[in-house]
Amino acid sequence: MWYGLDIGGTKIELAVLDAKFELQHSWRVPTPQQSYDEFLQTVLQQIQKADALCQSPGTLGIALPGVIRKDGTVLSSNVPCLTNKTVAKDLTALLQRPVAIGNDCRCFALSEAVLGAGQQHHKVLGFILGTGAGGGFCLNGKLYQGAQRLAGEYGHQGLAASVVQQFNLPLFSCGCGLTGCNEPYISGTGLARLYQYFSGQKADTYQWLADYRAEKPAAIRTFEAYISALGSVMANQILSLNPDLIVLGGGLSDIPEIIAALPKATAAYLFAGAAVPQFKKAQWGAASGVRGAALLGKALTEGQSYEV
C-alpha cells in the first residue's frame, strides 16, 4: 500500500492507496503547530493506525507547506514547529522506513500531471488558489524543482506594476517577509483583502461572492482587480514556462466566474502571437496533495525519482 500524508496548517490528512492508486482509507486529525515532538508522535500514531488497517507497513510520502531545503531542513510559516527540522530524516528513524517529503503545492502539480487532469500533456503547470498561492511545474510527468527547490513559488513574485497602478492598490505585506508579492492579492485571503479595501468593510470570500452575484459595485470592482492580478500572474508563468496545460486547484477554483474570466484576463497581459493554454480544474481536487505525496513515497521505495 502507498500512504500519502498531507500536512496542513490546521489538519493532517492521511490516505491509503492501493497499487492502482485507488483510495482505500482516509482520515484527518488536527495538526500540532507548536510542539515538534507532538507532531512526530501524531504522525507515528496515524501510520500505526494505517499499518493495522492494511496488516502490513506501507510506503510513506509527505506533502507539507513550506520550503524543503537541499540539506533536508524545512521552512514553514503554516506549521512553525517544523521550521529548521529535518522532518523526513526524523520520521524515517521513528517509523523505521523510508520517508519522502515534498512541498504541498508541488505534490498537487505532480498528482495532476501523473494521475489527474494533466495526463497526456507534456508540460503541466499546477496552480493552487486557496489560503495561499503556490504551484509546481511538471515536464513529462516529473517535477522541475530548480537549484534551491523553489520552482513554483509564483506567489512570492512581485505583482505587476500595471495592475497596482490601474486599480490604485496598496502594497500589501506578505507572510514571507516581502512586500507586494502576488499571494496577498490572488489567494483566497487576498481576494477577501481586496474586497475589504474596495468596500471599506470586513468580509470574507463567501461574502464577496454573494455580493458579486448581487451586482454590488464594490464587489464588481474587486473582481475586476482580482482577475486582472491573476491574469497577469498567469501570463508571466506562460511566458516563462510555456505550459501545454494549467491545472487549477484550491477553493477559488470552485468559483465558475473566476474560471470563465481567466483566459481573457490572461490574454490581456500577453503580447500578440502568444497563445493562452487550456485551463482545467484539478481532477482530484483537495485529494491531489496526498496522491502526489504517495507518488513520492512510491518512487523513493522503488529507487526512482519524480524529479527532472
Side-chain angles (χ1 to χ4, degrees):
M1 292 290 186
W2 316 118
Y3 300 167
L5 207 64
D6 190 1
I7 311 296
T10 59
K11 56 81 183 170
I12 294 174
E13 179 177 0
L14 187 141
V16 177
L17 302 149
D18 65 15
K20 295 181 179 180
F21 271 79
E22 294 180 353
L23 182 65
Q24 302 301 306
H25 308 282
S26 68
W27 62 88
R28 295 180 175 184
V29 296
T31 303
Q33 293 189 347
Q34 304 303 324
S35 170
Y36 187 56
D37 288 339
E38 186 181 351
F39 170 83
L40 294 176
Q41 289 302 310
T42 298
V43 172
L44 173 62
Q45 291 163 12
Q46 308 321 305
I47 301 305
Q48 289 174 334
K49 178 179 175 179
D51 287 347
L53 286 169
C54 299
Q55 299 183 340
S56 64
T59 65
L60 178 60
I62 295 178
L64 57 80
V67 174
I68 297 92
R69 304 183 182 104
K70 291 182 70 174
D71 64 0
T73 58
V74 168
L75 175 64
S76 178
S77 59
N78 288 5
V79 190
C81 69
L82 304 185
T83 294
N84 296 324
K85 304 294 186 182
T86 52
V87 178
K89 180 181 178 181
D90 296 342
L91 284 174
T92 295
L94 182 64
L95 300 172
Q96 294 296 295
R97 74 190 74 181
V99 176
I101 192 168
N103 171 273
D104 55 351
C105 295
R106 256 66 100 204
C107 285
F108 161 81
L110 179 64
S111 170
E112 290 297 324
V114 175
L115 302 170
Q119 293 183 76
Q120 312 304 319
H121 292 270
H122 296 296
K123 296 181 285 294
V124 177
L125 181 61
F127 264 72
I128 291 183
L129 298 169
T131 304
F137 183 58
C138 290
L139 290 166
N140 298 318
K142 293 193 173 185
L143 273 171
Y144 174 73
Q145 297 272 37
Q148 298 183 61
R149 305 178 70 82
L150 294 174
E153 292 293 339
Y154 67 83
H156 302 292
Q157 297 171 358
L159 184 66
S162 57
V163 176
V164 174
Q165 184 180 52
Q166 179 182 355
F167 295 96
N168 194 29
L169 298 176
L171 290 180
F172 295 132
S173 297
C174 182
C176 72
L178 299 175
T179 300
C181 292
N182 290 324
E183 184 172 279
Y185 300 86
I186 66 170
S187 63
T189 50
L191 177 54
R193 185 180 292 110
L194 286 173
Y195 190 35
Q196 291 175 30
Y197 171 70
F198 285 112
S199 69
Q201 62 187 30
K202 275 199 167 185
D204 57 19
T205 53
Y206 299 101
Q207 185 62 55
W208 164 79
L209 186 57
D211 290 349
Y212 178 73
R213 289 172 176 171
E215 300 184 350
K216 293 189 176 181
I220 291 172
R221 186 61 170 168
T222 297
F223 181 74
E224 291 170 348
Y226 175 81
I227 203 66
S228 293
L230 184 57
S232 72
V233 174
M234 293 291 182
N236 284 339
Q237 305 314 304
I238 291 166
L239 293 174
S240 297
L241 301 170
N242 197 23
D244 305 325
L245 175 72
I246 298 177
V247 182
L248 301 171
L252 295 186
S253 69
D254 292 327
I255 299 175
E257 289 91 339
I258 291 175
I259 303 300
L262 192 50
K264 183 177 179 181
T266 301
Y269 291 93
L270 291 171
F271 51 71
V276 177
Q278 183 181 8
F279 290 98
K280 278 188 179 181
K281 280 188 61 176
Q283 179 175 331
W284 297 111
S288 267
V290 291
R291 289 176 178 273
L295 283 171
L296 294 182
K298 176 179 181 292
L300 179 63
T301 303
E302 295 177 346
Q304 300 176 0
S305 174
Y306 274 110
E307 294 186 18
V308 68

